[in-house]
Amino acid sequence: MTTSFHVITKTTTFLLLLLLFLSSFSVCFGTRTLNSLYKPPPNLLKYHNGPLLEGNIPISILWYGNFKPSQKSILIDFILSLTPLHHPHTSNRAPTVSHWWKTVDDLLTMVGKTKTHIFISEQTTDLHYSLGKHLNKSQIERLTTKRAKTTKEGIMLVLTSEDVAVEGFCMSHCGYHSSHSGEKEAYIWVGNSVSQCPGQCAWPFHQPLYGPQMATPLVSPNGDVGVDGMVINLATLMAGTVTDPFGRGYFQGEEGGEVEVVAACSGVFGKGAFSGYTGEVLVDKTGNGGSYNVVGLTGRKFLVPAMLDPSTSSCSPMV
């Protein structure tokens, strides 16, 4: 009996070990198979066959409110650095802002469109806040039609000073682009957030209002948190307007919930970026210690978000 029990016990033990081994092998194999088959969904930026802005793109600017000359200079330098004209008396070396913008031109040429040449056609200043200091979206649209000349090929910029509140500002957006009169006359609004919500619309030059906190905010490259924040938002919207001016251009997702070429990389400024961290950026050691990743036409420095690279379907920061 003892021998029989011992044999049964050994047999039972062997079977149990065999079952455990096979079970372990099956689970392990299944996991490996699932991992090898799983591919993360790519960040696909799809062209929806609508019109894009191309070729010569005149920019009309309405400065709504009180902007200092130095503030205007920062924003104008950035715009003119996107597609600078080569001139025999200037450096042959293109500003790196235009290298950043090259992704936009690549998206255009991929579908048979012409590369861009962006230039400022006119500027208007409304120092007296003709529609007041609290604007809704319909008033922004009125400003685009009454204060500057716009064309189908161009973009109208409405830039509001720090003492102007705009519907949805800080609550749901830091700026937006739209159009009126059908598929023409694209326009952009961007506001100076420094006195209203710098933690939302001038990040990373201010501690974020929500989410992971930085040890210290980055130093703004031009010494103006509000305007350097405007550059980030303007860069995002300029790229979105050219590549998706009327809602049927380049974007991810479904119509009505579009995510455009720069918005898809929100918060990514350098390599190694993650939530609450910009990634590795450059520091101006000869100036004010500001953080930047591109240089403009006059040597002015800017921080711009990454764009979605169509060749890799991934965010491609400048540094």
Side-chain angles (χ1 to χ4, degrees):
M1 290 291 293
T2 303
T3 303
S4 175
F5 178 79
H6 182 66
V7 170
I8 292 172
T9 302
K10 286 175 66 178
T11 304
T12 304
T13 302
F14 173 78
L15 290 173
L16 286 172
L17 288 172
L18 179 62
L19 286 171
L20 285 171
F21 171 76
L22 291 174
S23 174
S24 174
F25 180 77
S26 176
V27 171
C28 183
F29 182 76
T31 302
R32 287 170 57 201
T33 302
L34 287 173
N35 285 341
S36 64
L37 292 177
Y38 175 73
K39 301 290 184 186
N43 289 318
L44 295 178
L45 192 68
K46 184 180 177 182
Y47 177 49
H48 295 78
N49 302 311
L52 309 175
L53 300 186
E54 59 177 318
N56 290 329
I57 302 177
I59 307 296
S60 300
I61 304 176
L62 170 60
W63 305 95
Y64 190 87
N66 185 20
F67 283 89
K68 299 173 184 177
S70 60
Q71 294 177 319
K72 290 183 177 182
S73 178
I74 294 168
L75 293 163
I76 289 170
D77 276 6
F78 176 74
I79 293 167
L80 294 179
S81 297
L82 292 171
T83 57
L85 285 175
H86 294 288
H87 190 279
H89 298 296
T90 61
S91 171
N92 292 325
R93 194 175 173 187
T96 55
V97 174
S98 63
H99 298 171
W100 174 81
W101 186 257
K102 181 180 179 296
T103 298
V104 170
D105 282 335
D106 288 345
L107 289 170
L108 295 178
T109 57
M110 281 170 58
V111 292
K113 306 297 183 182
T114 306
K115 290 182 180 181
T116 58
H117 168 223
I118 291 174
F119 61 97
I120 295 174
S121 58
E122 69 169 335
Q123 299 183 60
T124 308
T125 300
D126 188 341
L127 277 172
H128 302 292
Y129 308 87
S130 60
L131 297 183
K133 292 187 177 183
H134 293 80
L135 305 177
N136 58 36
K137 290 186 176 181
S138 64
Q139 289 173 312
I140 294 290
E141 185 170 349
R142 280 176 58 193
L143 289 172
T144 69
T145 58
K146 292 185 177 182
R147 294 288 168 176
K149 300 173 184 177
T150 55
T151 65
K152 185 174 181 178
E153 295 78 19
I155 301 172
M156 174 68 202
L157 298 184
V158 177
L159 305 176
T160 53
S161 57
E162 63 182 272
D163 54 348
V164 177
V166 176
E167 178 186 1
F169 192 24
C170 302
M171 301 297 292
S172 58
H173 51 243
C174 303
Y176 61 81
H177 75 87
S178 188
S179 63
H180 48 80
S181 303
E183 291 187 347
K184 63 180 181 179
E185 298 181 352
Y187 64 87
I188 295 171
W189 161 72
V190 177
N192 186 331
S193 67
V194 70
S195 61
Q196 299 178 58
C197 56
Q200 289 170 271
C201 296
W203 184 86
F205 305 126
H206 191 281
Q207 284 286 16
L209 187 60
Y210 306 107
Q213 299 295 303
M214 308 170 68
T216 56
L218 301 186
V219 176
S220 65
N222 295 290
D224 190 313
V225 168
V227 174
D228 280 321
M230 289 181 78
V231 168
I232 293 172
N233 298 318
L234 180 59
T236 301
L237 292 165
M238 286 284 288
T241 302
V242 171
T243 58
D244 186 33
F246 311 116
R248 293 188 295 111
Y250 279 101
F251 59 84
Q252 294 178 353
E254 301 297 325
E255 191 171 348
E258 301 94 335
V259 180
E260 294 170 341
V261 60
V262 180
C265 300
S266 179
V268 178
F269 295 92
K271 293 179 182 177
F274 54 84
S275 179
Y277 173 58
T278 61
E280 298 174 10
V281 296
L282 304 174
V283 175
D284 184 4
K285 295 181 179 179
T286 62
N288 68 344
S291 295
Y292 70 100
N293 54 13
V294 290
V295 179
L297 195 62
T298 63
R300 193 187 296 276
K301 297 172 176 65
F302 304 100
L303 188 70
V304 294
M307 275 203 220
L308 195 60
D309 186 339
S311 65
T312 62
S313 294
S314 61
C315 295
S316 181
M318 287 299 297
V319 296

